[in-house]
């Protein structure tokens, strides 16, 4: 398996990249629609702000996090909307400052504890380093929506190795989110990094393989591109089926993206 970098210090760099997408926007820019139906740029940042607030609580004040999570209802989308509401109500300049503050708090909280320390989370407890990786997945996904909405082409770095490893760790989420049986196999991933390096995950003798672009795998598992538009190949029936259901987050899959939807942008 490809060696994994420490995700906690990388979280700040990815957050700063997303920050640069929105830092100089005027009110009209914040109101720009993104590919997520009904979500503007402001919705995307409000969601990230709410997510980082939860992660900061989980890392620094786990008892408060558990008390808060106990109040959540069974409707996933309603929980998301409620968490975003207070941030979305703020004017853009205030939302931007809250977003920065929550990021800084979470980055400091995660850096202050060992990466293998187990912290509570919404689905199940996880090591702090994995929570940081989940945060990077969120930044990748919602940062992509912002970039797509604004017509900006992103520059990807090998920091996405953290997102790829998180996707491999959560490869079963797409089945679980749809109430499907999880296949009793392990997938092999052989992916080309932005730098051109080869990243490998999973058993070398697996007959179920996914090969291609590491960036495109991240776009697939965050459901920001349709599989037909990605440089990914599957070998084996299970691997091929996985490309249809892959997601690196729990909860509803959402509408995803249509084939050819971003052909003009060429990512």
């Amino acid at each position: 398996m490809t060696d994994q970098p420490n995700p906690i210090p990388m979280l700040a760099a990815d957050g700063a990249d997303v920050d640069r997408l929105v830092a100089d926007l005027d009110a009209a820019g914040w109101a720009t629609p993104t590919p997520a139906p009904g979500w503007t740029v402001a919705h995307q940042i409000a969601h990230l702000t709410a997510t980082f607030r939860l992660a900061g609580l989980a890392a620094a004040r786990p008892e408060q996090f558990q008390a808060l999570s106990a109040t959540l209802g069974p409707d996933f989308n309603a929980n998301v909307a409620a968490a975003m509401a207070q941030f979305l109500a703020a004017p853009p300049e205030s939302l931007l400052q809250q977003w920065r503050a929550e990021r800084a708090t979470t980055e400091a909280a995660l850096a202050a504890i060992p990466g293998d320390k187990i912290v509570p989370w919404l689905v199940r407890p996880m090591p702090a380093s994995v929570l940081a990786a989940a945060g990077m997945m969120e930044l990748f996904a919602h940062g992509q929506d912002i970039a797509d909405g604004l017509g900006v082409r992103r520059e990807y770095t090998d920091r996405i190795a953290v997102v790829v490893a998180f996707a491999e760790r959560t490869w079963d989420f797409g089945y679980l989110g749809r109430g499907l049986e999880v296949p009793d196999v392990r997938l092999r991933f052989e992916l080309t990094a932005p730098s051109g390096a080869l990243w490998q995950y999973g058993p070398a003798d697996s007959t179920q393989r996914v090969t291609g672009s590491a960036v495109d795998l991240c776009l697939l598992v965050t459901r920001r591109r349709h599989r037909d538009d990605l440089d990914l190949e599957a070998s084996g029936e299970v691997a091929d089926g996985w490309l249809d259901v892959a997601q690196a987050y729990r909860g509803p899959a959402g509408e995803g993206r249509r084939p050819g939807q971003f052909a003009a942008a060429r990512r």
Side-chain angles (χ1 to χ4, degrees), residues 132-152:
M136 291 181 68
M137 183 274 294
E138 293 282 344
L139 287 167
F140 183 97
H142 296 285
Q144 189 65 50
D145 282 341
I146 293 168
D148 288 336
L150 297 174
V152 175

Side-chain angles (χ1 to χ4, degrees), residues 168 186-190 201-209:
E168 192 270 340
R186 287 193 62 196
L187 302 182
R188 171 73 169 180
F189 296 88
E190 297 179 353
Y201 304 83
D205 61 352
S206 175
T207 60
Q208 305 296 323
R209 294 172 176 258

Side-chain angles (χ1 to χ4, degrees), residues 212-224:
S213 162
V215 170
D216 284 6
L217 184 85
C218 295
L219 290 167
L220 178 80
V221 299
T222 56
R223 295 180 60 77
R224 265 50 187 186

Side-chain angles (χ1 to χ4, degrees), residues 6 8 59 108-119 126-132:
N6 180 358
I8 295 175
L110 287 169
I113 58 178
D116 60 356
K117 178 179 174 62
I118 301 299
V119 297
M126 61 178 65
S129 61
V130 177
L131 181 57

Side-chain angles (χ1 to χ4, degrees), residues 84-98:
M84 292 169 52
Q86 63 174 305
F87 302 113
L88 196 57
E93 60 274 16
S94 178
L95 173 56
L96 180 61
Q97 292 308 312
Q98 290 179 87

Side-chain angles (χ1 to χ4, degrees), residues 3-261:
D3 292 337
Q4 288 306 302
N6 180 358
I8 295 175
M10 294 187 176
L11 194 62
D14 277 10
D17 281 351
V18 175
D19 193 295
R20 281 188 284 273
L21 290 172
V22 301
D24 298 323
L25 293 180
D26 58 15
W30 282 89
T32 301
T34 67
W39 281 35
T40 65
V41 170
H43 284 83
Q44 301 287 347
I45 294 297
H47 174 75
L48 286 171
T49 306
T51 301
F52 271 71
R53 172 169 286 188
L54 285 174
L57 278 177
R61 297 187 290 278
E63 297 83 3
Q64 290 186 31
F65 171 85
Q66 290 171 326
L68 177 60
S69 62
T71 68
L72 299 178
D75 187 326
F76 178 87
N77 290 326
N79 291 333
V80 170
M84 292 169 52
Q86 63 174 305
F87 302 113
L88 196 57
E93 60 274 16
S94 178
L95 173 56
L96 180 61
Q97 292 308 312
Q98 290 179 87
W99 151 235
R100 289 172 172 169
E102 295 299 342
R103 278 169 39 219
T105 296
T106 299
E107 291 158 9
L110 287 169
I113 58 178
D116 60 356
K117 178 179 174 62
I118 301 299
V119 297
W121 194 235
L122 298 171
V123 178
R124 56 177 176 256
M126 61 178 65
S129 61
V130 177
L131 181 57
M136 291 181 68
M137 183 274 294
E138 293 282 344
L139 287 167
F140 183 97
H142 296 285
Q144 189 65 50
D145 282 341
I146 293 168
D148 288 336
L150 297 174
V152 175
R153 185 168 182 174
R154 300 179 83 184
E155 295 294 330
Y156 305 100
T157 74
D158 279 12
R159 292 196 303 269
I160 66 164
V162 175
V163 182
V164 173
F166 186 76
E168 192 270 340
R169 181 187 184 100
T170 61
W171 79 279
D172 58 341
F173 278 11
Y175 299 101
L176 297 173
R178 294 166 175 78
L180 302 174
E181 182 178 354
V182 179
D184 186 21
V185 299
R186 287 193 62 196
L187 302 182
R188 171 73 169 180
F189 296 88
E190 297 179 353
L191 305 164
T192 303
S195 66
L198 177 64
W199 293 341
Q200 301 178 80
Y201 304 83
D205 61 352
S206 175
T207 60
Q208 305 296 323
R209 294 172 176 258
V210 175
T211 59
S213 162
V215 170
D216 284 6
L217 184 85
C218 295
L219 290 167
L220 178 80
V221 299
T222 56
R223 295 180 60 77
R224 265 50 187 186
R225 293 292 186 272
H226 192 276
R227 66 170 289 183
D228 291 354
D229 298 329
L230 298 175
D231 176 21
L232 294 171
E233 298 290 336
S235 175
E237 183 178 358
V238 173
D240 184 67
W242 181 80
L243 292 182
D244 288 326
V245 303
Q247 65 184 73
Y249 53 90
R250 292 296 293 267
E255 295 185 16
R257 304 293 178 260
R258 302 183 305 276
Q261 184 174 352

